[in-house]
Amino acid sequence: MSPTAQTTASTRRVVFPFTAIVGQEEMKLALLLNVIDPKIGGVMIMGDRGTGKSTTIRALADLLPEIPVVANDSFNSDPNDPDLMSDEVRQLLEQGAEIPVVLKKVQMVDLPLGATEDRVCGTIDIEKALSEGVKAFEPGLLAKANRGILYVDEVNLLDDHLVDVLLDSAASGWNTVEREGISIRHPARFVLVGSGNPEEGELRPQLLDRFGMHAEIHTVKEPALRVQIVEQRAEFDQNPLAFVDKYQPQQEAQQQQIVNAQNLLPNVTSDYELRVKISEICSELDVDGLRGDIVTNRAAKALTALEGRTEVTVDDIRRVITLCLRHRLRKDPLESIDSGYKVEKAFARVFGVELPDDTAQKNGTGQKLGARG
């Protein structure tokens, strides 16, 4: 290891390794699929306090491979993809200028709850624009998050208007700022991850529907697993570097798996019959709009790519459909059955398969949750 690499390793904040996280498979799967295909549209993670939501998201950002970016560019512009570069970089390329490229860790941007729209979207300095005749733009958090992960903790406490702005940018991949007749647009393609505690209120259904996936996480009940999690955390806190080194082989293997999946994704195909059955389930569950159909198809393909295959199977759909549809069902306040179980039942009926035994147990949990909430 070179002295520079050693310095970088010692000065970088040590993050709990993604592959060392025990349990919470649903949340980990949703995050990995969004990283493989950001067009899935982000993930909303709802769960109890202290279940490792923030730890897992930071661990994922740390796990991701470095990406090539244009040096000294505020938007993390991709040197090869015009859809992911700022106007300035595109103009330089058109003029045939030499563009310096550096490798950079994927950015994870935390959105503070008290953030203003100017802080999120960026601002235009009108005085400078008028006096100097240049578009004086001060980039915001959306510019910093381009090609990275934008994490909003307690998203259900964030102003609805701001959530709308974030979801619009995440869906279109662009952020536009307009002021006094001056308009500036820049790429803002990121994986939007929101987390929250259901006790602090739900998101409006219109906003919830815009998140590609919805993961529900609960406190681990098995005593042995709880002990394992506590001991791991203690081991990490005592000697973070040694703990990270121990998991380095798994981290590298997982990182390679993500890269392979991203490269394989364009070659993954899904049979027409399977796509029809996905739409049949969405129709039977009375899901509004077509987002549910689109996201389920995308997520199933991403899972297939993650496992190194090119043909989507019924089991791939089974593993992602609840994550993609549970938050799109119309809520009946008197309903006691968990929405996730409803999705699984519809899947079993349409595909003509038996539900696994653990689903019935989950339904018991779901009913208790529904009755309580």
Side-chain angles (χ1 to χ4, degrees):
M1 195 188 272
S2 69
T4 324
Q6 278 179 325
T7 314
T8 314
S10 59
T11 53
R12 227 179 74 214
R13 196 163 65 92
V14 182
V15 177
F16 195 87
F18 186 79
T19 50
I21 292 166
V22 176
Q24 309 303 8
E25 299 306 320
E26 194 173 278
M27 166 169 62
K28 289 195 288 190
L29 180 64
L31 289 167
L32 284 172
L33 297 185
N34 270 278
V35 164
I36 291 163
D37 183 3
K39 287 184 178 156
I40 285 171
V43 56
M44 177 70 184
I45 300 164
M46 284 301 246
D48 308 329
R49 293 181 297 274
T51 42
K53 298 189 285 283
S54 303
T55 303
T56 308
I57 295 151
R58 284 191 175 78
L60 176 75
D62 189 64
L63 171 76
L64 297 179
E66 291 184 325
I67 52 171
V69 298
V70 175
N72 306 316
D73 179 75
S74 305
F75 309 100
N76 302 317
S77 292
D78 187 323
N80 307 309
D81 186 348
D83 281 343
L84 292 171
M85 59 176 71
S86 62
D87 291 341
E88 292 84 356
V89 173
R90 201 180 297 110
Q91 282 161 11
L92 286 170
L93 273 177
E94 283 165 5
Q95 291 160 12
E98 192 66 38
I99 293 195
V101 176
V102 292
L103 283 175
K104 194 174 173 186
K105 281 296 284 180
V106 168
Q107 288 266 44
M108 179 188 145
V109 177
D110 262 307
L111 184 82
L113 265 183
T116 60
E117 191 176 346
D118 281 357
R119 176 86 182 90
V120 173
C121 299
T123 53
I124 298 170
D125 186 337
I126 293 295
E127 285 178 27
K128 193 173 178 183
L130 293 174
S131 61
E132 298 177 28
V134 291
K135 284 185 177 180
F137 179 61
E138 186 63 47
L141 294 174
L142 292 182
K144 197 178 171 188
N146 186 36
R147 302 177 67 209
I149 296 171
L150 183 64
Y151 174 47
V152 190
D153 194 10
E154 309 293 4
V155 69
N156 41 347
L157 301 180
L158 197 65
D159 180 61
D160 275 357
H161 170 63
L162 263 186
V163 178
D164 244 345
V165 168
L166 295 177
L167 289 162
D168 279 341
S169 292
S172 67
W174 290 91
N175 172 43
T176 307
V177 182
E178 291 182 345
R179 193 167 163 222
E180 314 285 344
I182 296 172
S183 175
I184 287 184
R185 192 176 89 124
H186 70 77
R189 184 91 50 89
F190 50 83
V191 174
L192 180 63
V193 181
S195 72
N197 184 343
E199 289 173 5
E200 285 159 352
E202 291 281 347
L203 265 184
R204 283 195 291 125
Q206 303 93 302
L207 294 177
L208 203 50
D209 174 62
R210 302 269 297 277
F211 279 91
M213 302 177 100
H214 186 283
E216 280 182 10
I217 54 174
H218 304 287
T219 307
V220 175
K221 293 283 185 276
E222 298 84 20
L225 209 51
R226 290 173 78 120
V227 170
Q228 188 186 343
I229 293 165
V230 170
E231 284 175 351
Q232 260 193 340
R233 187 71 220 190
E235 191 185 336
F236 173 76
D237 290 341
Q238 203 169 351
N239 192 342
L241 288 170
F243 188 83
V244 167
D245 283 346
K246 187 167 103 175
Y247 281 90
Q248 199 53 38
Q250 291 101 304
Q251 289 283 97
E252 285 169 8
Q254 179 85 76
Q255 190 181 81
Q256 193 54 52
Q257 190 184 10
I258 292 169
V259 174
N260 294 345
Q262 288 170 334
N263 295 332
L264 185 63
L265 186 64
N267 304 318
V268 175
T269 56
S270 177
D271 193 62
Y272 177 72
E273 286 301 315
L274 295 183
R275 300 202 301 274
V276 168
K277 285 190 164 155
I278 287 171
S279 291
E280 202 180 316
I281 293 166
C282 292
S283 178
E284 189 177 307
L285 291 168
D286 206 13
V287 172
D288 289 333
L290 293 172
R291 276 201 192 103
D293 310 50
I294 293 165
V295 170
T296 306
N297 278 294
R298 280 194 176 281
K301 283 184 173 181
L303 176 58
T304 306
L306 179 66
E307 298 189 345
R309 295 175 282 109
T310 54
E311 273 289 323
V312 173
T313 65
V314 173
D315 194 54
D316 293 328
I317 296 166
R318 181 188 67 78
R319 285 160 65 192
V320 300
I321 197 160
T322 305
L323 283 164
C324 300
L325 297 184
R326 64 149 65 98
H327 56 303
R328 303 178 199 278
L329 306 193
R330 291 181 183 175
K331 282 204 167 48
D332 177 353
L334 303 174
E335 183 68 84
S336 64
I337 297 175
D338 179 42
S339 55
Y341 180 65
K342 275 189 184 171
V343 175
E344 285 166 343
K345 253 174 59 177
F347 171 85
R349 204 160 43 244
V350 169
F351 278 94
V353 295
E354 287 286 314
L355 282 180
D357 291 340
D358 66 327
T359 311
Q361 291 162 9
K362 270 199 290 187
N363 178 35
T365 321
Q367 283 182 327
K368 274 182 251 164
L369 280 170
R372 194 177 64 210

